[in-house]
Amino acid sequence: MADVTFIVDGKTLTAPAGTLLIDACRKAGIEIPAFCYYPGLSLQAACRMCVVRQEKVPKLQTSCTTTVAEGQVFITESEEIAQARKATLELLLGNHPLDCPVCDKGGECELQDMTFKYGAGESLYEEAKQHREEQQWSPAVYYDRPRCILCYRCIRVCGEGMDVWALGVQNRGVNSVIAPNGGDHLDCEQCGMCIDICPVGALTSGSYRYKTRPWEMNHVATVCTHCADGCKVTLGVRQTKDGAEILRASNRDKSGINGDFLCAKGRFGFDFVESQERLTRPLARNSEGKLEPVSWEHALRLAGGKLKRIRDSKARIDGNSAAIGVVGSNRTTNEENYLLQKFARTVLNTNNIDHERTADYAAFARTLAGHNGKAASLRDTATAPAILLIGGNPTEEHPLLAWNLRTNARLNRARLYIANTKAIKLERMARATLRLPADGYPALAAYLGGSNAVINNACFRELVLSEESLLVVFGSEYSGAQVAELVAWGLKRGKVRFAFLGGYANSRGAADMGLLPDLLPGYVPVTAPGAFAEYAGLPTTPGKTLSEIIDAAGKGELGALLVVGADPVAMLGAAPEALKKTFVIVADLFLTETATLADVVLPAASLYEKSGTVTNTFGDVQLVRKAADRAGVKPEFEILVRLADAMDVDVKTLVHFGHGGVTADLGQSRGAQAGEADMHAVWLQANNLEPKLSPFDPLAVLDEISQLVPGYAVDRMNLLSGNDAQTELDSAQGIVPVAALAGRGEFMPAHDGLFTSGTLGQHSAALQELARHQAAQLVKIRTK
Amino acid sequence: MSPETMTLFSPQLAARFDALVLKYPLRRSALVPMLLYAQDEVGYLSDAVIAEVAARIGITELEVRNVASYYSMLRFKPAGKFNVQVCTNISCMLRGSYEIYERFQEELGIGHKGVTADGVFSLEEVECIGACSWAPAIQVNYDFHDNLTPEQVPGILASYRQTNAKAALPALVSHPDEVKIVSKRFGQGAANIDRYVELGGYEAAKKCLAQGPELGPAWIIDEMKTSNLRGRGGAGFPAGMKWSFVPKQSDKPKYVLVNGDESEPGTCKDHLIFLHDPHAVIEGTIIAGLAIGAKLGFIYLRGEYRYLLEIMEKAVAEAYDKGFLGKNIFGSGTEFQIITQTGAGAYEVGEESALMESLEGKRGVPRIKPPFPAVVGLYGGPTVINNAETIATVPHVIEMGGAAYTQVGTPRNGGTRLFSLSGHVERPGVYELPMGYNLKKMIYEVAGGVRGGRGLKAVIPGGSSTPVLLPEEIDIGMDFDQVGKAGSMLGSAGVVVIDDQTCIVEFALRTISFYQHESCGWCTPCREGTDWLKKSLTRFHAGFGEAKDIDNIQYLAENILGRTFCPLGDAAAMPMLGFVKKFRKEFEEHLNGKACPFAKHVDLAVV
């Protein structure tokens, strides 16, 4: 659209023809108030707050529906306009209840703010106010009609935004109400978008109600601990006597890759942090064989000592201490993961390290190695003109991805193509859908290449191939050579980018950071370690996979097992006897099945109680900041450093801290005076690499990660400012063809839904309640 | 839904519904009629009805409830077998409808929305039902009963109990000053197509077709522009100019939509057109279609006009039978189809974009303009929307020629129009008079002056949305421009005459109550403002007002005026401003707990 010039409040502005005046003004720093106008949702022109005076037009115009054209002249602030807005507020406040003292929204309410600004403070209203009782529509959503200003944001975000359409407006005139699809309750995805988009306290959160005033909380920007989308979340935290508790989670500030989107898990699934079942004291098995609370010192000495003895006593093969196994987590930070594998390899001297792999990231990374710019970031899913979604069910398993795809299709007319063995909700937004036979996924690459042998649907293929560029999103239905085949098709076709979907908040980070028996961080093979050759004591043969580790324990061949944030016994369905002959150390939040069989249990911190970085399934790295706090728990990072210390390891070799900084790069990038401490400190500061003064500071390890891990030389400024930084799987360092590694290790796709999230979900009363509520809705439908 | 699947409706109704969803360009357009017809059979919209309607249309139950809850005629709880609806709006109120309502309450022992224990009767107070010139009027289900007195109440109830009730047909009046153009076929059986043709009907349509497909559209629009025929609904926009806004080329089909939602209090003229000359509406729709290149026209009647809809449907069927509608109208090779549609009780639906929303099966909430209907209208296609009287006038304009039509009337205000005279006059009725006819003469000569020899207090010139005129202000010609200059509007030409024994404050209260009830609720000023004004005036009229309340009423009305999403806000605000300004003293006489000198109904029910 060609630009046009127009005048607002005497200022000359330029914008593409057809831009909404309110948008053009806001971009130019001219603030126009609005309740019903909300970027990304359809126009309403109902609240009448955004009125402005347009020259030569008799009535005040709503700036949200006025499109700019050449030569127009507008006034956005004047006595007339102030009076109009004041009157609108007075009219809204007429029937509005005097709830401010108890209303959750008090202090962050748009109606309060507008009233304060336009001076509608003296009420002329002497009549009886319309009243309706408040309703609870679900465990998460409450609706109070007297407070509602009928801006219709909730209806639009539920319908247009979430494609759920569970809310509507009923009745007429001043009797209008917002009504839920269940008559008196909601049957929906319980995402809570309606609550946070509400400008007033009409819609309130069941878990946050009446708990605090917003100014009593500190707000911390961090990343959600649940699925692999990696939504940024702002946690509201309040001091408690033994730390700080999380009272709410939202992203109303619209920062991060998710804008203001959050799903039920992000918004309500934080209460596991405060669960009564949290481990808060280390446990050790006593002489009667029962786990009893002990001090940290005792636990660490016991565990460290045992590990050291077992490491030194048992025989080695190619340097591999085959008697020790390490299991990592899908939810610990990159720094913790990196440290864990470094600890395993350099301290325990074993490559027997694995984790519950939710997707074959290794195959994905290696297939794309050397092909720059072929991996899509999450942001790309919101802007790509054409997307091919293969398998999965983003609505349930990757809600932010689903939101991006819906928004992209709705606002940008992006074309969505879906290939799936089952019907999924996103098909409602799709241009074309391909229903695959039960065994159809492996045959898809060949089908796209032209074969009709297994899948016979020329029409779908034609549409997909007619696209100039394509973003292919696929996931855990593919592993090993199948990944390679699909990616190879795309690389050959050209102008295709890929996104690979895994399970949890840092599943990608777990793989990227080498929690794998045969791969070092960055998918560098242990057999050809490259830059990691400086790892002292690194075994040169691949280690055991997760199931092999547990098998070895069952056969009595595993002397020690260190489990961090995982529950392999439950995951693999192993018999309790399997670990009888192994010294098991578990660091976790809860007493999992594995922990009940352990010799030492260490209470760990959740992702919301630590700092570091995580990588979402698209390879976007984000900073995690400590929000909650409780006495007794420690982040796994600190646990590992202390464990190493208890094994008489020089901690500095594990975590490079102090003024020395990173040793790997000897001044080539840092300037000639690399060796001089003072000037070096200046350089470090300028690059946001301040000297790390504590071995427990995860960011100390981030330096090393940036230096050594292929793809992780991310934009530090961006990251530390709270934005996402993209990893680049471009390294050509010692990449071994995928075929050489095919067939080792199992994949356990997470397949979590909107209310489940592995172990954490089981301990979140809020999510469990929502799951029960929604399950009851299904029963109603089936028995109708 | 196939006939084999379970349905809770009778076979005939189920079959009717099966066909209904296939009639329209979009299935959802069947929603409002389906709900009303379902209610007619079942008695109310039960959960089962909602579920089946949702399934038939293919939308969620939530969506069905969202729409159903908007319309006053639709109910979610059973009513009586005979639902007595007493109009208490201004024209009926002036003729004693409250006494009639009270009598019904006494006889039945129930109040507003009540149902008798035996389930035979229910009672409700309703807004204007379009029988203003024959007030006081009620409806029992869809039957009209006009010119009532309280004494007639028991008889009416008995006739329904004995199932021998007869609905009334409104009386026709006449006066020598009338110039009968649009009403020239009234009272002559022209609802029958053969009679209509006998009386010269459908010649205009043929004349337009004779111009040919190339030159026809421009020729018709030219005639319409020359005629200076301005919209007879209320806005008075020149019809020819409106039709000329429709683009010649369009990717989407074009439509004609006839607005028969006559709901402006004081207006009952379209009522007579549908009753006496439905074919004129059909013919006018055809001509409009030819002018803009539309192949489909909709004739939408308000839900309360059921008996008129049945007459219209019969007329449409007759036209199809004769080949005047269909794929090859009058053998010309041109296609034109007509679909008739019922509303379900909503004044706001008379607003053109809300009308389209209702026709598309949604809540009657107006649309953001621009784009205007002539460019983006029904189902997204260019649409011409005109009031029924305007459309019914079109064949006459074509027949006599635009130039001749404009000669009758005043400059820029061509022709005649139907004036609905109601309230305190000796001879209320609908009279067709030339545009610009003097209002004073209209009241005192045509309508016989103020009833019972009383003095004149005030006149509403064009329906309740128009500001009140004082006796010294009525010596004006009734056309759009002159009434505008006098500080009011010609509007729907619903002339409501108020005598000097009427409380203006009560009248103002009843007026604002109407707007509060009919406000669609979309935008803040109208939704909240009409409610605030109603509550304020109620308290004020009951004697609990203070001086500042009068100023506050003015303040609120001033801040509603010009600030709303659609003109309903203006329609509510302007009359209030008029009453307060011109009758301030009368307002002041209600202060300090003084009993209203005229009031009979101190607490008006919440309708």
Side-chain angles (χ1 to χ4, degrees):
Chain A
M1 272 281 187
D3 278 2
V4 293
T5 311
F6 49 100
I7 299 175
V8 180
D9 296 337
K11 265 168 61 174
T12 306
L13 299 183
T14 311
T19 307
L20 294 175
L21 179 63
I22 193 171
D23 283 340
C25 285
R26 285 177 172 180
K27 262 213 182 75
I30 300 170
E31 188 56 50
I32 297 184
F35 290 123
C36 67
Y37 171 71
Y38 198 85
L41 300 177
S42 63
L43 301 177
Q44 311 285 277
C47 73
R48 316 310 282 183
M49 279 301 283
C50 71
V51 289
V52 296
R53 170 56 69 187
Q54 181 175 354
E55 211 183 61
K56 297 195 205 122
V57 178
K59 292 195 207 178
L60 290 176
Q61 298 297 296
T62 47
S63 55
C64 66
T65 57
T66 303
T67 48
V68 297
E70 186 67 38
Q72 288 172 325
V73 180
F74 300 97
I75 305 278
T76 71
E77 288 280 357
S78 68
E79 244 182 72
E80 175 195 28
I81 291 170
Q83 167 58 34
R85 292 180 186 161
K86 178 181 176 191
T88 300
L89 292 162
E90 288 174 320
L91 287 163
L92 284 173
L93 291 170
N95 279 314
H96 199 82
L98 192 55
D99 280 359
C100 292
V102 299
C103 174
D104 281 349
K105 212 69 168 192
E108 47 184 27
C109 169
E110 295 182 43
L111 184 62
Q112 277 185 337
D113 293 347
M114 285 297 114
T115 304
F116 194 82
K117 178 165 182 184
Y118 288 98
E122 199 186 309
S123 176
L124 304 163
Y125 195 84
E126 302 206 1
E127 324 304 335
K129 294 182 186 257
Q130 297 291 100
H131 183 72
R132 268 177 204 262
E133 290 304 308
E134 190 184 28
Q135 297 173 295
Q136 181 178 10
W137 286 347
S138 82
V141 184
Y142 282 72
Y143 177 65
D144 190 305
R145 169 62 183 100
R147 296 179 187 171
C148 179
I149 60 171
L150 289 171
C151 69
Y152 316 112
R153 283 187 196 174
C154 55
I155 296 174
R156 285 175 284 154
V157 80
C158 183
E160 300 162 23
M162 292 300 293
D163 195 25
V164 171
W165 306 94
L167 293 172
V169 55
Q170 290 182 4
N171 304 337
R172 194 168 76 193
V174 81
N175 294 308
S176 298
V177 280
I178 306 296
N181 59 352
D184 61 355
H185 65 275
L186 272 172
D187 174 8
C188 65
E189 290 171 16
Q190 308 291 337
C191 62
M193 288 297 288
C194 55
I195 297 168
D196 281 339
I197 210 173
C198 179
V200 297
L203 287 164
T204 50
S205 157
S207 64
Y208 173 68
R209 273 162 74 76
Y210 301 136
K211 283 207 170 139
T212 183
R213 302 307 264 163
W215 56 84
E216 290 175 351
M217 291 186 287
N218 286 326
H219 288 92
V220 180
T222 186
V223 180
C224 174
T225 183
H226 293 290
C227 83
D229 275 336
C231 291
K232 198 213 131 283
V233 63
T234 299
L235 297 177
V237 181
R238 190 176 60 180
Q239 298 305 111
T240 60
K241 53 175 159 45
D242 73 336
E245 57 172 346
I246 303 171
L247 291 176
R248 74 168 173 193
S250 79
N251 216 42
R252 290 190 76 217
D253 44 78
K254 298 196 202 178
S255 55
I257 55 179
N258 42 318
D260 52 0
F261 175 79
L262 267 189
C263 76
K265 292 195 282 197
R267 199 173 261 107
F268 304 116
F270 56 81
D271 60 334
F272 68 86
V273 172
E274 304 306 322
S275 165
Q276 297 288 61
E277 293 159 351
R278 278 293 290 280
L279 297 167
T280 54
R281 300 174 66 182
L283 305 168
R285 215 164 277 284
N286 60 17
S287 43
E288 281 109 54
K290 278 189 132 137
L291 282 174
E292 67 173 6
V294 295
S295 69
W296 270 103
E297 219 197 301
H298 177 94
L300 287 167
R301 244 187 306 123
L302 176 59
K306 231 11 211 226
L307 278 176
K308 189 168 175 199
R309 267 201 301 287
I310 293 169
R311 175 195 66 187
D312 295 339
S313 67
K314 301 278 180 147
R316 307 221 181 168
I317 309 161
D318 294 329
N320 189 6
S321 170
I324 304 186
V326 176
V327 180
S329 174
N330 278 290
R331 293 197 222 250
T332 41
T333 62
N334 288 329
E335 295 72 21
E336 288 169 335
N337 295 342
Y338 182 84
L339 192 61
L340 183 64
Q341 62 85 35
K342 190 174 179 186
F343 177 79
R345 284 160 173 142
T346 63
V347 175
L348 300 178
N349 301 133
T350 181
N351 271 329
N352 295 344
I353 174 166
D354 202 347
H355 65 286
E356 286 157 15
R357 308 182 217 175
T358 60
D360 196 352
Y361 285 114
F364 182 68
R366 314 183 110 257
T367 319
L368 282 183
H371 299 278
N372 274 15
K374 292 299 173 184
S377 87
L378 181 47
R379 291 180 185 278
D380 295 331
T381 60
T383 54
I387 300 117
L388 172 60
L389 175 67
I390 304 172
N393 185 359
T395 303
E396 305 257 332
E397 300 176 9
H398 298 91
L400 175 57
L401 171 62
W403 170 271
N404 277 3
L405 294 177
R406 283 193 302 265
T407 307
N408 198 3
R410 183 166 59 86
L411 298 180
N412 307 331
R413 298 186 196 273
R415 277 114 23 222
L416 181 60
Y417 302 97
I418 295 185
N420 203 306
T421 54
K422 297 194 295 258
I424 60 172
K425 185 180 150 214
L426 273 174
E427 286 172 14
R428 288 156 53 103
M429 315 286 304
R431 185 179 186 215
T433 300
L434 177 66
R435 183 68 65 240
L436 294 173
D439 55 353
Y441 291 116
L444 195 68
Y447 160 78
L448 289 169
S451 157
N452 291 328
V454 178
I455 305 161
N456 199 345
N457 187 325
C459 180
F460 181 85
R461 176 175 49 222
E462 206 181 299
L463 284 172
V464 171
L465 295 181
S466 74
E467 294 293 345
E468 204 204 307
S469 66
L470 205 56
L471 200 170
V472 176
V473 181
F474 65 115
S476 51
E477 287 88 352
Y478 290 81
S479 62
Q482 294 164 357
V483 172
E485 207 190 334
L486 188 59
V487 173
W489 166 80
L491 292 174
K492 181 157 161 262
R493 189 193 174 280
K495 291 207 171 159
V496 175
R497 282 179 307 164
F498 297 90
F500 191 55
L501 303 180
Y504 295 103
N506 208 19
S507 296
R508 172 70 180 258
D512 283 0
M513 290 301 128
L515 296 185
L516 297 161
D518 47 359
L519 295 171
L520 289 155
Y523 308 102
V524 176
V526 296
T527 50
F532 292 97
E534 65 180 47
Y535 270 12
L538 170 69
T540 51
T541 51
K544 295 186 174 53
T545 65
L546 178 58
S547 50
E548 286 168 356
I549 290 172
I550 302 299
D551 279 346
K555 291 197 209 119
E557 291 164 9
L558 199 69
L561 176 65
L562 170 61
V563 178
V564 175
D567 191 2
V569 169
M571 251 297 158
L572 299 175
E577 297 73 48
L579 296 181
K580 267 212 148 41
K581 303 195 194 90
T582 313
F583 185 79
V584 181
I585 306 161
V586 170
D588 211 314
L589 278 69
F590 300 100
L591 201 65
T592 59
E593 267 188 61
T594 310
T596 53
L597 304 170
D599 296 285
V600 178
V601 181
L602 304 168
S606 69
L607 195 64
Y608 292 147
E609 293 159 319
K610 61 176 72 152
S611 296
T613 64
V614 289
T615 309
N616 72 6
T617 196
F618 300 86
D620 306 318
V621 185
Q622 293 179 94
L623 208 60
V624 160
R625 278 203 198 88
K626 179 177 168 132
D629 199 2
R630 70 187 312 150
V633 308
K634 289 186 191 300
E636 285 87 335
F637 193 89
E638 186 182 335
I639 292 175
L640 289 170
V641 172
R642 290 195 188 280
L643 200 56
D645 184 53
M647 293 174 71
D648 299 322
V649 171
D650 178 5
V651 169
K652 253 211 171 68
T653 59
L654 212 47
V655 179
H656 297 293
F657 65 99
H659 278 270
V662 181
T663 59
D665 180 341
L666 296 171
Q668 300 308 308
S669 63
R670 286 185 247 141
Q673 288 76 29
E676 299 178 28
D678 262 338
M679 292 210 65
H680 179 52
V682 171
W683 180 89
L684 282 176
Q685 198 150 32
N687 288 277
N688 258 314
L689 301 170
E690 300 90 350
K692 303 302 181 290
L693 297 175
S694 154
F696 306 127
D697 186 341
L699 293 183
V701 154
L702 185 58
D703 295 355
E704 187 171 323
I705 292 173
S706 299
Q707 299 287 326
L708 295 185
V709 179
Y712 268 75
V714 293
D715 181 346
R716 199 61 98 79
M717 290 298 306
N718 223 2
L719 188 67
L720 294 172
S721 315
N723 296 316
D724 48 304
Q726 279 63 48
T727 55
E728 185 56 75
L729 297 168
D730 74 325
S731 86
Q733 294 179 7
I735 298 294
V736 170
V738 175
L741 300 164
R744 286 201 69 214
E746 309 79 17
F747 300 100
M748 295 159 264
H751 284 322
D752 273 316
L754 292 173
F755 313 113
T756 59
S757 182
T759 311
L760 297 187
Q762 290 161 25
H763 293 273
S764 163
L767 290 180
Q768 306 254 322
E769 206 184 349
L770 290 174
R772 277 194 298 274
H773 174 91
Q774 280 305 118
Q777 307 308 314
L778 278 180
V779 170
K780 279 190 210 155
I781 293 169
R782 290 201 186 111
T783 54
K784 245 194 188 174
Chain B
M1 199 175 227
S2 64
E4 292 87 48
T5 49
M6 289 264 287
T7 171
L8 70 97
F9 303 123
S10 66
Q12 301 91 307
L13 191 60
R16 185 179 186 188
F17 286 169
D18 289 341
L20 194 66
V21 290
L22 302 173
K23 245 181 22 169
Y24 303 87
L26 276 183
R27 224 175 152 86
R28 191 169 165 151
S29 288
L31 180 58
V32 173
M34 194 182 281
L35 284 167
L36 189 57
Y37 300 149
Q39 179 176 283
D40 288 342
E41 182 172 281
V42 178
Y44 68 112
L45 300 179
S46 63
D47 289 351
V49 169
I50 301 280
E52 184 166 340
V53 169
R56 283 181 176 273
I57 301 285
I59 56 178
T60 61
E61 284 185 36
L62 175 69
E63 258 312 285
V64 174
R65 284 183 196 280
N66 293 347
V67 175
S69 61
Y70 177 85
Y71 296 92
S72 326
M73 290 175 74
L74 297 176
R75 51 183 176 254
F76 294 94
K77 285 203 286 247
K81 183 157 169 235
F82 303 110
N83 186 29
V84 178
Q85 304 140 70
V86 181
C87 172
T88 59
N89 210 309
I90 51 177
S91 300
C92 287
M93 177 175 98
L94 291 173
R95 303 286 291 209
S97 64
Y98 274 105
E99 279 80 41
I100 292 177
Y101 181 61
E102 277 161 16
R103 189 62 190 268
F104 271 110
Q105 284 179 305
E106 277 172 46
E107 295 289 327
L108 294 173
I110 52 178
H112 178 64
K113 299 263 183 176
V115 186
T116 55
D118 59 2
V120 176
F121 289 104
S122 51
L123 179 64
E124 57 174 325
E125 220 187 299
V126 295
E127 302 296 347
C128 177
I129 51 178
C132 321
S133 295
W134 316 294
I138 67 168
Q139 280 193 284
V140 180
N141 294 351
Y142 292 105
D143 299 338
F144 277 85
H145 297 276
D146 309 329
N147 291 303
L148 294 178
T149 62
E151 294 69 46
Q152 292 171 308
V153 169
I156 291 175
L157 292 173
S159 71
Y160 278 96
R161 277 201 200 88
Q162 290 147 27
T163 63
N164 59 6
K166 272 206 351 224
L169 280 183
L172 283 176
V173 292
S174 68
H175 188 271
D177 281 358
E178 281 193 287
V179 176
K180 296 185 93 63
I181 299 178
V182 74
S183 67
K184 83 175 189 210
R185 287 185 278 252
F186 281 12
Q188 299 176 57
N192 171 278
I193 195 171
D194 293 317
R195 188 80 180 104
Y196 182 73
V197 168
E198 223 176 277
L199 294 168
Y202 287 113
E203 288 306 312
K206 291 187 202 157
K207 194 171 172 186
C208 292
L209 278 165
Q211 305 302 318
E214 297 299 316
L215 302 172
W219 181 86
I220 300 170
I221 291 177
D222 219 50
E223 285 295 316
M224 295 301 301
K225 282 185 168 168
T226 308
S227 74
N228 277 315
L229 172 63
R230 292 165 71 160
R232 298 291 190 244
F237 194 87
M241 195 188 297
K242 185 187 277 189
W243 294 9
S244 72
F245 291 153
V246 175
K248 300 279 181 304
Q249 298 299 342
S250 171
D251 288 336
K252 294 205 156 113
K254 307 185 208 176
Y255 303 98
V256 179
L257 172 51
V258 179
N259 188 341
D261 191 67
E262 178 170 73
S263 305
E264 179 75 18
T267 317
C268 52
K269 55 176 180 81
D270 297 337
H271 188 143
L272 291 179
I273 294 175
F274 291 127
L275 177 58
H276 291 285
D277 208 0
H279 282 283
V281 177
I282 295 171
E283 190 176 0
T285 308
I286 294 173
I287 295 170
L290 293 172
I292 66 168
K295 291 206 180 67
L296 176 55
F298 293 89
I299 300 176
Y300 184 114
L301 266 69
R302 63 180 293 183
E304 295 84 345
Y305 280 2
R306 173 63 62 85
Y307 87 101
L308 298 166
L309 178 66
E310 285 166 359
I311 293 172
M312 180 57 74
E313 282 173 342
K314 188 152 163 287
V316 168
E318 287 178 333
Y320 269 102
D321 281 339
K322 287 235 190 298
F324 295 173
L325 287 172
K327 290 228 186 278
N328 183 10
I329 65 172
F330 303 96
S332 66
T334 309
E335 177 179 0
F336 199 76
Q337 316 271 5
I338 284 185
I339 294 177
T340 52
Q341 179 86 340
T342 182
Y347 167 73
E348 174 62 17
V349 164
E351 197 277 337
E352 61 177 8
S353 61
L355 184 66
M356 291 193 290
E357 289 289 290
S358 185
L359 188 49
E360 291 184 7
K362 300 179 241 170
R363 294 165 61 83
V365 173
R367 296 178 179 177
I368 293 172
K369 288 185 265 196
F372 290 90
V375 179
V376 179
L378 276 173
Y379 314 112
T383 306
V384 133
I385 305 167
N386 281 114
N387 171 262
E389 184 187 352
T390 314
I391 284 286
T393 308
V394 168
H396 300 284
V397 167
I398 297 294
E399 217 186 327
M400 61 197 285
Y405 186 79
T406 197
Q407 290 297 338
V408 187
T410 47
R412 284 176 313 280
N413 290 266
T416 58
R417 76 172 299 177
L418 298 174
F419 290 88
S420 313
L421 273 289
S422 69
H424 294 146
V425 286
E426 283 293 338
R427 293 193 295 270
V430 177
Y431 299 92
E432 184 170 5
L433 298 160
M435 289 289 273
Y437 193 88
N438 185 279
L439 177 59
K440 190 168 183 182
K441 203 166 172 212
M442 199 186 290
I443 294 170
Y444 284 100
E445 290 188 27
V446 177
V450 182
R451 184 180 65 157
R454 289 185 180 168
L456 179 67
K457 187 168 201 176
V459 179
I460 308 289
S464 68
S465 307
T466 57
V468 66
L469 295 173
L470 295 169
E472 54 267 30
E473 295 173 319
I474 63 170
D475 194 2
I476 54 172
M478 288 287 266
D479 70 19
F480 291 105
D481 301 327
Q482 291 182 65
V483 184
K485 247 204 323 208
S488 186
M489 285 146 43
L490 181 60
S492 65
V495 181
V496 183
V497 175
I498 304 165
D499 72 19
D500 57 9
Q501 298 294 300
T502 309
C503 172
I504 281 291
V505 177
E506 183 182 31
F507 190 87
L509 171 54
R510 189 58 185 88
T511 302
I512 196 65
S513 302
F514 170 70
Y515 293 106
Q516 186 264 11
H517 186 238
E518 297 295 338
S519 169
C520 77
W522 185 249
C523 75
T524 306
C526 174
R527 177 185 72 239
E528 304 294 338
T530 55
D531 184 58
W532 190 337
L533 280 169
K534 178 189 172 177
K535 287 172 174 161
S536 216
L537 268 169
T538 304
R539 175 173 55 85
F540 191 87
H541 181 253
F544 299 103
E546 295 173 40
K548 67 178 166 109
D549 287 320
I550 306 176
D551 294 322
N552 196 44
I553 288 167
Q554 189 162 333
Y555 175 76
L556 287 172
E558 278 168 0
N559 280 286
I560 296 171
L561 189 61
R563 305 272 175 79
T564 52
F565 190 75
C566 89
L568 194 150
D570 301 333
M574 282 191 303
M576 290 305 116
L577 288 171
F579 291 128
V580 168
K581 245 201 295 238
K582 297 184 181 178
F583 291 93
R584 193 176 185 104
K585 200 156 152 301
E586 194 162 337
F587 276 83
E588 285 166 356
E589 276 164 18
H590 283 75
L591 292 175
N592 303 316
K594 269 195 267 177
C596 170
F598 309 107
K600 300 152 229 170
H601 316 98
V602 170
D603 24 71
L604 295 178
V606 174
V607 179

